[in-house]
Amino acid sequence: MTTININENLKDFNHRTYNTYQELMEDLAEYHGYKILWQVNEKDLSSEVKEALEEYKNNPPEKLFDI
């Protein structure tokens, strides 16, 4: 289990326990008004996003970046 403490910039974000990283990311995305790719139906992706994903798949970076 990992504990994450966020002390700033999340006004009115509900405190709760998350069982998975996915649950946390979904709540944070909703809080900020975003959707995470695993939540989006493929038919709802814009052509630009599809092209970017295809480019990434065909030419992955040599190393992963910590974002």
Side-chain angles (χ1 to χ4, degrees):
M1 174 182 246
T2 300
T3 301
I4 300 173
N5 293 316
I6 301 171
N7 297 317
E8 296 179 21
N9 300 325
L10 289 179
K11 183 178 180 183
D12 300 325
F13 189 74
N14 294 329
H15 175 87
R16 76 177 193 92
T17 299
Y18 293 93
N19 293 315
T20 65
Y21 177 75
Q22 183 172 340
E23 287 179 5
L24 170 62
M25 293 307 297
E26 287 171 352
D27 271 7
L28 286 172
E30 182 179 330
Y31 176 83
H32 290 290
Y34 295 102
K35 288 246 186 230
I36 299 175
L37 286 177
W38 67 64
Q39 296 175 288
V40 179
N41 191 322
E42 185 176 344
K43 68 181 173 76
D44 296 330
L45 293 175
S46 70
S47 60
E48 292 86 5
V49 171
K50 288 179 184 177
E51 289 171 13
L53 288 171
E54 191 63 32
E55 175 69 24
Y56 180 84
K57 185 173 126 184
N58 293 334
N59 299 301
E62 292 183 19
K63 65 177 186 174
L64 295 176
F65 296 94
D66 185 13
I67 55 172

